[in-house]
Amino acid sequence: MIALEPLLRQHAERFGAPQSAFQAPGRVNLIGEHTDYTGGLVMPAAIDFNTVAVMTPAKNSASVLYASNLQKEFHFDVNGLPEKPKHDWTDYPIGVLWSLRQSGVTVPQFTMTLEGDVPLGAGLSSSASIEVAVAFAALSLAGKSMPLTEIALACKRAENGFVGAQSGIMDQYIACCGVKDHALVIDTRDLTSQPEPLPANVRLVICNSMVKHSHAGGEYNARRAEVDEGTRAVRSINPAIRELRDATLADLEKAHASMSENAYRRCRHIITENARVKEAAAALSSGNMKRMGQLMAEAHASYRDDFAASCPEVDLLVELAAAQPGIIGARLTGGGFGGCTVNLVEAACAEAFRKGIHDAYLERAGIDADIYLCQAAAGASELAFAR
Ligand code: GLA
């Protein structure tokens, strides 16, 4: 978690007395990968890494963003927002202002300091945590309120329409709506969700393969295009199918000949993954952690083999996890192509697990991995401080 007091002081020295501060968390996804743009199910938890946005209304006609981690300032005018992304950190806050404007929210000029501890490019949704923290701050500046799902949708629009990643709603949703000590089973079609408690004797251990990934363009959008191709083929055989969420494996088989082999495999991952999320929700709610672990293993295999979104380093981390003390389940989490594994580990073994997997990965891959012992955290909120 980011320490608030030093950040407030830093903001005050640069911009004057802070008016308010907001935080939004990163997330880890337990199961349900690439299902969130097909109307499907996901099961993320917000984690205790976050982005904090401290802001003050500006007295003149210019706005300033300061990224404390990068020690970089960006000057702009809220009434003449940049029209194109710069392909750097500014795209997320500017994209949010651009998107909120489309929702009719006009923000007065402001100064803002941003600081985060969500590891960047690690598949833990640092970008959504920035977007949601900025959205909360911007809405407060504008004196407007919005339902949490509307805020999540506005941040998703920033990602899709400004930043250029065709991602789904999962990351922004969980950053807004996360529940402490729970994972959330989110239905990405109707945007409802159900909290499932994580057992008190289980820890979320996240292992960073240190292989960086990026979503803007590249592999993520390429996979999505293959999923769209498969969905069109399935729909042309059965028009009752609105989204891939509605399709069964039998539907997919019927349409197999009219799509590429890649599209077929990507869709097979998604159809089987939706079924796994449903089963995982039942396993968690009945405390059947053994089944939960098996489902995570099956999800990893499907993500690796059918969706082709893993990499050798991440596969190694999953393999090594199986031999560590207290392991319940392990899989690649997030958008894929590097990033982190999520591991459910018996709490009493969490430290031994951390050391064991770190040393084994160092020996086998020659990589000094960051391993995080996390708690499932609450969603975004305003932070209290003495003014
Ligand atoms: C990224 C996207 C999400 C989701 C995951 C894969 O995190 O931002 O919308 O598609 O990848 O499950």
Side-chain angles (χ1 to χ4, degrees):
M1 294 293 261
I2 295 294
L4 184 58
E5 287 306 322
L7 189 63
L8 291 171
R9 272 200 301 279
Q10 205 189 121
H11 180 90
E13 277 160 25
R14 184 174 294 268
F15 296 125
Q19 183 184 77
S20 48
F22 298 84
Q23 70 80 27
R27 65 101 189 90
V28 69
N29 190 18
L30 296 190
I31 194 162
E33 233 52 273
H34 283 256
T35 48
D36 66 340
Y37 48 81
T38 66
L41 303 170
V42 292
M43 199 203 284
I47 52 176
D48 46 348
F49 286 103
N50 58 6
T51 300
V52 175
V54 180
M55 59 87 176
T56 305
K59 291 177 196 71
N60 52 26
S61 57
S63 287
V64 189
L65 290 164
Y66 177 62
S68 161
N69 302 63
L70 305 171
Q71 301 187 343
K72 282 194 174 152
E73 266 191 10
F74 180 61
H75 294 246
F76 67 102
D77 177 354
V78 289
N79 300 311
L81 291 174
E83 279 166 19
K84 288 203 181 102
K86 290 186 344 139
H87 306 293
D88 66 13
W89 66 278
T90 62
D91 292 350
Y92 302 101
I94 297 297
V96 167
L97 297 171
W98 168 89
S99 176
L100 284 177
R101 187 154 277 224
Q102 291 179 29
S103 305
V105 178
T106 319
V107 178
Q109 307 283 0
F110 65 91
T111 57
M112 181 182 285
T113 303
L114 287 166
E115 182 163 311
D117 63 359
V118 186
L120 300 178
L124 301 177
S125 293
S126 53
S127 50
S129 89
I130 298 171
E131 288 158 5
V132 171
V134 170
F136 268 58
L139 284 165
S140 144
L141 263 168
K144 291 261 163 65
S145 65
M146 260 188 193
L148 290 177
T149 49
E150 290 298 316
I151 300 177
L153 284 168
C155 292
K156 174 182 181 289
R157 185 167 58 205
E159 189 94 32
N160 298 160
F162 193 82
V163 179
Q166 297 312 308
S167 46
I169 188 71
M170 168 168 70
D171 305 347
Q172 292 81 9
Y173 190 113
I174 189 72
C176 287
C177 305
V179 178
K180 189 170 164 24
D181 298 329
H182 290 70
L184 229 52
V185 181
I186 305 170
D187 182 322
T188 65
R189 171 175 281 167
D190 65 12
L191 299 184
T192 56
S193 58
Q194 171 72 31
E196 290 296 346
L198 292 169
N201 60 349
V202 170
R203 289 299 298 270
L204 279 173
V205 185
I206 298 173
C207 302
N208 190 340
S209 69
M210 312 305 273
V211 178
K212 290 256 178 189
H213 81 159
S214 156
H215 281 168
E219 301 273 30
Y220 185 97
N221 288 353
R223 289 296 178 283
R224 181 160 182 167
E226 288 167 346
V227 171
D228 289 346
E229 179 203 329
T231 307
R232 279 194 301 276
V234 172
R235 205 187 282 133
S236 69
I237 302 247
N238 180 355
I241 293 168
R242 276 196 293 142
E243 293 175 288
L244 204 53
R245 158 81 178 271
D246 305 314
T248 61
L249 283 177
D251 293 319
L252 184 65
E253 287 310 326
K254 277 188 215 141
H256 192 165
S258 52
M259 67 179 84
S260 68
E261 195 55 24
N262 274 356
Y264 170 75
R265 294 179 79 107
R266 309 309 180 232
C267 292
R268 187 167 64 183
H269 163 75
I270 289 171
I271 293 170
T272 56
E273 186 83 342
N274 273 324
R276 280 187 291 269
V277 180
K278 261 195 203 147
E279 238 203 283
L284 258 194
S285 87
S286 65
N288 188 347
M289 297 311 285
K290 182 157 180 256
R291 184 66 192 134
M292 181 70 197
Q294 287 164 347
L295 288 162
M296 289 172 77
E298 286 168 22
H300 182 74
S302 171
Y303 205 22
R304 178 192 62 209
D305 301 337
D306 271 354
F307 214 74
S310 192
C311 65
E313 293 85 352
V314 167
D315 290 341
L316 177 62
L317 277 174
V318 170
E319 178 200 319
L320 294 173
Q324 301 307 315
I327 184 69
I328 295 165
R331 53 174 289 278
L332 166 58
T333 188
F337 315 106
C340 293
T341 60
V342 56
N343 303 263
L344 294 179
V345 180
E346 286 166 23
C349 301
E351 271 303 337
F353 178 93
R354 182 218 290 260
K355 184 165 182 345
I357 200 155
H358 173 272
D359 294 354
Y361 189 58
L362 185 60
E363 193 189 318
R364 291 275 299 273
I367 300 174
D368 182 10
D370 292 338
I371 318 273
Y372 321 109
L373 264 53
C374 289
Q375 311 274 6
S381 57
E382 179 160 12
L383 299 172
F385 61 90
R387 279 147 180 106

